């Protein structure tokens, strides 16, 4: 392995090129700041691209409730299809085109389309040199002192080359909050205790290693009569027999138990049916072949992020490296085992077993095996923040008639249920109704370090509120706000804490956000 080969300096260092990281870099660059953006894979975009998760959004997304750039992203995705694909006349003229007609979102699209749009949005600043992108780099070291981060060293994932990055502000937009421990930032992981947060759904005792399931997403198509069966995965026999503690049913099956109430069973089928049973095929479908002319697609294409490939047998954060790699491989094996089960053993409505025409689509995800470049990580390390968002801030049951909590220091909005997937130790999980929520600036400010900011799902939430603040439009908004916050702090020579505490600076910063198209409060809905 090479030693430190070089150094790069910029005003703002953004470590992690996911959804939040890209928007943080874009925001800072728009304000005239030089930016270095690093990414562990060769695709920018995170959830939307390298993790292959079609956007989870709220019911008002077509009218309001997101930033102007997120709306621009959505419009550009639709324009990408109308400009480049032979759509049917009906699809081409549909004002709310949904390329996949997936029922998880009003805009289910191929990860490559999102990649193209995000790259195009960043292109002017990359071309001008204001944003420098370092692909296949991950953070391995950091230097800090006197409550300031001085540098972050990143390492190339293939050749081991190291680069030391220096700047005025450092933004952690990694999927697991990897800069936080390197920089010595105060943070939490896993489940907090009820007496710490006052949350009724928190456990009696804290457990830092009780983290939400991760999922290794993959892409499929299907043509009846084909033979596409993969080799039997190494761990297939284990996963074929595996029954979660909270369930009476095998994980690989069409029936699953609700982790919040094992007595409640959910039944699925693969394809649409006339029995009102939810179809997993159309759930996160990104290409509905019926919307494209000339027989362009031989099959629909769907992305598989289902209950059956949630991996919750162990955490991948703050565990020994060998254990982390073991869990990552087991998550991959679970997804491959699901593919093999679908091809060979999945019960069919006609009484048969298996759909041998199911095929992995490596080309859809830019990989050799058809699995996403990076697993979907729902829960990151989370900073200990000036303000921590708790269940009482968003839960409909707790807030009751008080409705939406409006923060004086809001820097954005979002909406989603408190959605906790089965956790690694207790296997807790739930889906709690919420009011639409706002993003308080205090949740973006660490309790101590002055020039380190979270820029994705590593803000000051609890494990429970992470369940709604981790979604695509919210992460996008968090990253964008963090980028503007760093730029404003540099220009005005103030710390983020001072911006929040000084009413003049807070007002001016929020005015800047409003000018840039960031909605800070919800209307009456």
């Amino acid at each position: 392995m090479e030693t430190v080969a070089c150094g790069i300096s910029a005003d703002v260092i953004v470590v992690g090129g996911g959804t939040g990281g890209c928007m943080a870099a874009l925001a800072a660059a728009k304000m005239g700041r030089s930016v270095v953006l690093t990414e562990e894979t060769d695709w920018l975009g995170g959830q939307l691209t390298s993790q292959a998760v079609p956007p989870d959004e709220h019911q008002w997304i077509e009218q309001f409730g997101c930033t102007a750039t997120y709306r621009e992203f959505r419009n550009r995705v639709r324009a990408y299809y109308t400009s480049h694909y032979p759509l049917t006349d009906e699809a081409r003229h549909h004002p709310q085109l949904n390329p996949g007609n997936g029922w998880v979102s009003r805009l289910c699209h191929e990860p490559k389309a999102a990649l193209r749009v995000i790259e195009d949005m960043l292109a002017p600043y990359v071309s001008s040199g204001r944003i420098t992108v370092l692909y296949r780099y991950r953070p391995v070291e950091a230097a800090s002192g006197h409550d300031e981060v001085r540098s972050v060293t990143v390492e190339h994932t293939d050749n081991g080359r190291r680069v030391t990055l220096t700047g005025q502000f450092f933004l952690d937009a990694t999927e697991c909050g990897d800069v936080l421990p390197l920089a010595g930032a105060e943070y939490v992981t896993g489940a907090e205790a009820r007496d710490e947060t006052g949350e009724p759904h928190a456990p009696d005792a804290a457990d830092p290693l009780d983290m939400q399931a991760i999922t290794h997403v993959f892409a499929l198509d299907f043509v009846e009569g084909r033979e596409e069966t993969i080799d039997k995965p190494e761990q297939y026999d284990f996963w074929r027999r595996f029954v979660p503690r909270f369930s009476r049913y095998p994980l690989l099956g069409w029936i699953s138990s609700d982790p919040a109430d094992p007595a409640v069973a959910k039944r699925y089928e693969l394809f649409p049916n006339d029995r009102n049973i939810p179809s997993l095929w159309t759930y996160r479908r990104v290409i509905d072949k019926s919307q494209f002319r000339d027989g362009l697609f031989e099959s629909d294409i769907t992305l598989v992020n289902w209950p059956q490939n949630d991996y919750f047998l162990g955490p991948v954060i703050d565990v020994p490296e060998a254990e982390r790699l073991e869990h990552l491989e087991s998550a991959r094996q679970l997804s491959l085992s699901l593919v093999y089960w679908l091809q060979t053993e999945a019960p069919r409505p006609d009484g048969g077993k298996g759909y041998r025409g199911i095929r992995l689509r490596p080309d859809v995800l830019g990989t050799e095996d058809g699995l996403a470049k990076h697993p979907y990580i729902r829960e990151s390390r989370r900073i200990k923040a000036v303000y921590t968002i708790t269940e009482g801030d968003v839960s409909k049951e707790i807030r009751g008639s008080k409705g939406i909590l409006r923060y004086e220091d809001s820097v954005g909005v979002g909406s989603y249920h408190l959605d906790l997937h089965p956790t690694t130790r207790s296997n807790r999980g739930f889906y709690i109704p919420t009011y639409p929520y706002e993003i308080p600036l205090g949740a973006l400010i660490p309790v101590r370090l002055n020039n380190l900011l979270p820029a994705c799902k590593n803000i000051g939430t609890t494990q429970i509120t992470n369940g709604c603040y981790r979604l695509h439009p919210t992460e996008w908004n968090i990253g964008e706000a963090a980028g503007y916050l760093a730029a404003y702090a540099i220009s005005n020579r103030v710390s983020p804490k001072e911006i929040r505490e000084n009413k003049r600076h807070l007002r001016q910063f929020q005015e800047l956000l409003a000018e840039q198209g960031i909605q800070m409060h919800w209307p009456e809905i």
Side-chain angles (χ1 to χ4, degrees), residues 55-308:
D56 294 287
E57 300 173 327
H58 55 73
Q59 61 184 308
W60 306 282
I61 194 67
E62 297 292 350
Q63 290 79 40
F64 51 81
C66 65
T67 74
T69 55
Y70 188 75
R71 187 157 311 285
E72 178 186 353
F73 165 79
R74 299 177 89 256
N75 291 339
R76 283 188 182 222
V77 167
R78 285 177 169 143
Y80 182 78
Y81 282 93
T82 57
S83 297
H84 300 293
Y85 285 65
L87 296 165
T88 64
D89 289 341
E90 181 181 359
R92 179 173 301 282
H93 294 102
H94 197 300
Q96 296 179 1
L97 172 66
N98 188 345
N101 276 331
W103 50 271
V104 72
S105 172
R106 291 168 176 80
L107 186 60
C108 288
H109 50 79
E110 298 161 282
K112 284 183 177 179
L115 175 65
R116 178 66 177 270
V117 168
I118 289 171
E119 288 177 338
D120 285 351
M121 292 176 74
L122 295 174
Y125 304 98
V126 173
S127 295
S128 68
R130 195 172 290 175
I131 295 177
T132 299
V133 183
L134 302 180
Y135 290 99
R136 298 191 183 278
Y137 277 90
R138 61 184 182 89
V140 292
E141 292 179 2
S144 303
H146 302 290
D147 297 338
E148 300 273 342
V149 180
R150 294 170 179 163
S151 67
V152 171
T153 298
V154 294
E155 180 180 86
H156 197 280
T157 57
D158 292 338
N159 60 33
R161 180 174 182 264
R162 291 191 171 190
V163 180
T164 295
L165 307 173
T166 56
Q168 297 185 62
F169 265 82
F170 296 82
L171 277 58
D172 184 347
T174 61
E175 298 302 326
C176 296
D178 291 330
V179 177
L180 303 184
L182 298 175
E186 292 78 6
Y187 69 90
V188 296
T189 63
E192 300 93 342
R194 188 178 302 117
D195 61 5
E196 292 178 66
T197 65
E199 297 173 305
H201 285 90
D204 292 335
D207 187 345
L209 293 179
D210 193 25
M211 303 178 199
Q212 286 189 72
I214 67 174
T215 302
H216 213 133
V217 181
F218 53 91
L220 294 178
D221 69 5
F222 173 73
V223 175
E224 188 72 72
R226 266 186 340 206
E227 173 55 64
E228 299 289 349
T229 306
I230 64 172
D231 293 339
K232 182 179 176 181
E234 180 182 338
Q235 295 182 17
Y236 180 72
D237 289 337
F238 171 82
W239 290 113
R240 181 65 186 89
R241 296 189 300 267
F242 179 72
V243 177
R245 288 190 309 172
F246 56 81
S247 178
R248 296 171 290 159
Y249 308 100
L251 184 62
L252 299 186
W254 294 132
I255 305 174
S256 65
S257 291
D258 185 342
D261 185 356
V264 176
K266 298 180 179 179
R267 181 180 294 273
Y268 305 97
E269 282 198 7
L270 183 57
F271 294 118
N273 55 84
D274 57 5
R275 296 180 300 285
N276 203 31
I277 300 174
S279 161
L280 288 173
W281 185 263
T282 57
Y283 177 38
R284 294 184 183 272
R285 184 175 58 185
V286 293
I287 289 293
D288 175 359
K289 70 173 185 176
S290 70
Q291 297 196 100
F292 298 85
R293 290 190 290 106
D294 306 327
L296 179 66
F297 288 97
E298 188 179 15
S299 163
D300 296 344
I301 299 173
T302 194
L303 297 176
V304 177
N305 174 8
W306 300 349
Q308 291 91 334

Side-chain angles (χ1 to χ4, degrees), residues 444-486:
L444 275 65
I445 302 175
V447 292
R448 182 178 57 83
L449 291 172
N450 294 315
N451 68 335
L452 175 69
L453 296 173
C456 54
K457 53 184 175 287
N458 52 354
I459 65 170
T461 62
T462 63
Q463 181 183 54
I464 291 175
T465 53
N466 160 269
C468 59
Y469 277 80
R470 64 179 168 80
L471 277 302
H472 304 64
T474 308
E475 183 186 336
W476 183 292
N477 193 149
I478 289 167
E480 198 168 354
Y484 284 122
L485 180 60

